[in-house]
Amino acid sequence: MQLKCVAIDDEPLALQIIEKYVAEYPSLTLVNTFEDAISGGEYLKRNKVDVLFIDINMPDITGIDLVKSLDDKPMIIFTTAYKNYAYEGYELEAVDYLLKPINNIRFGTAVQKAIGYYQYKHTDTSGEGDFLYVHSEYRLIKINIKDIEYIESMQDYIKIHMLGVAKPVLTLMPLKGVIEKLPASKFIRIHRSFVVARDQIRSIHNRKVKLTEIELPVGTNYTDFIKDWHK
């Protein structure tokens, strides 16, 4: 696996640092760098790359606007000195968001996310993988499927509740979308708003499913659910 990378930043020193860090990863190839967003954008519209390291606050056009203009978006890793752009990065489903000055450890974390996500997207797991990726809190999050207790739908969002983790992961995704990524043998939909891990069900009584510390309602398809549960 070889991922083609491009870096765009109006600060030459920032480009030198990215070039140095990228060289430490055999699976990455930095095919080009640009000090202005317009030239970089024209290159990206003509050439397919896998990863884009891009500054946000640039004089000619912002990194946010450049990414929005791309029809075929690579994996995006934003690099910036300003925290207040994080929400825009979230909307564009960036792999990561690096604050300057970037150290090599934090850079490495972002690269591993990109590599993992690339492998995930290019492997046909047919819903039987060991993990899934979602965007949450401005970054790409890797979730081990075995750690999921249940998933709760909240209109356009879902909450992924995990074992031993007090705070659920909130992500912009319909429940149907995440169901397609889960192994059917390990999860069951009990309600229009809830999907639960089969091995976390402790009991079923009075149209409710008892998990370790919570009870969830079963929907109107209670009979079908019981049949499915006893398969």
Side-chain angles (χ1 to χ4, degrees):
M1 178 186 66
Q2 198 72 31
L3 301 184
K4 295 180 180 179
C5 308
V6 163
I8 303 176
D9 199 307
D10 62 322
E11 300 176 9
L13 180 59
L15 290 177
Q16 292 174 20
I17 291 172
I18 291 173
E19 187 172 2
K20 175 185 175 183
Y21 288 166
V22 167
E24 297 176 4
Y25 294 87
S27 56
L28 302 183
T29 299
L30 189 63
V31 295
N32 220 324
T33 63
F34 298 91
E35 293 183 20
D36 70 279
I38 293 176
S39 298
E42 290 300 318
Y43 178 88
L44 291 170
K45 290 174 182 177
R46 298 191 308 268
N47 300 273
K48 182 175 178 58
V49 301
D50 301 301
V51 183
L52 172 61
F53 298 94
I54 183 167
D55 188 17
I56 292 180
N57 192 24
M58 291 182 284
D60 44 11
I61 180 175
T62 70
I64 296 288
D65 289 336
L66 189 154
V67 171
K68 286 180 178 179
S69 73
L70 299 176
D71 294 326
D72 187 12
K73 294 179 178 58
M75 291 181 286
I76 306 297
I77 298 178
F78 284 116
T79 60
T80 182
Y82 301 94
K83 293 183 179 180
N84 58 312
Y85 287 107
Y87 181 75
E88 286 85 349
Y90 173 76
E91 283 190 316
L92 292 170
E93 297 189 341
V95 170
D96 213 336
Y97 182 92
L98 301 178
L99 288 175
K100 298 177 180 179
I102 303 168
N103 64 62
N104 58 348
I105 295 176
R106 185 65 185 84
F107 184 87
T109 299
V111 167
Q112 292 304 324
K113 284 184 182 182
I115 292 173
Y117 190 54
Y118 180 88
Q119 293 172 335
Y120 172 74
K121 295 289 286 184
H122 291 80
T123 300
D124 182 14
T125 59
S126 300
E128 294 294 335
D130 296 326
F131 51 86
L132 59 88
Y133 284 87
V134 299
H135 287 87
S136 181
E137 296 184 353
Y138 318 127
R139 292 178 176 85
L140 192 67
I141 306 293
K142 181 179 179 180
I143 296 177
N144 288 323
I145 287 177
K146 65 180 178 58
D147 294 335
I148 299 174
E149 183 178 22
Y150 69 98
I151 301 172
E152 176 183 5
S153 175
M154 301 181 67
Q155 294 183 340
D156 296 331
Y157 290 81
I158 57 171
K159 280 185 178 180
I160 302 175
H161 298 261
M162 293 181 289
L163 299 167
V165 179
K167 183 180 178 182
V169 174
L170 179 67
T171 184
L172 180 62
M173 180 187 296
L175 190 61
K176 180 181 178 181
V178 75
I179 288 174
E180 294 172 351
K181 300 175 183 294
L182 297 172
S185 60
K186 297 180 181 179
F187 290 84
I188 184 169
R189 187 169 188 172
I190 66 170
H191 187 275
R192 62 185 178 85
S193 298
F194 296 104
V195 171
V196 302
R198 290 175 180 267
D199 62 3
Q200 293 303 312
I201 297 178
R202 301 293 175 255
S203 64
I204 304 169
H205 183 65
N206 289 336
R207 303 183 71 89
K208 290 185 178 180
V209 167
K210 171 71 173 178
L211 305 182
T212 302
E213 296 182 355
I214 190 173
E215 283 188 340
L216 300 174
V218 177
T220 55
N221 58 340
Y222 184 75
T223 302
D224 293 338
F225 163 68
I226 294 297
K227 289 179 180 178
D228 189 11
W229 172 244
H230 286 295
K231 282 182 180 179

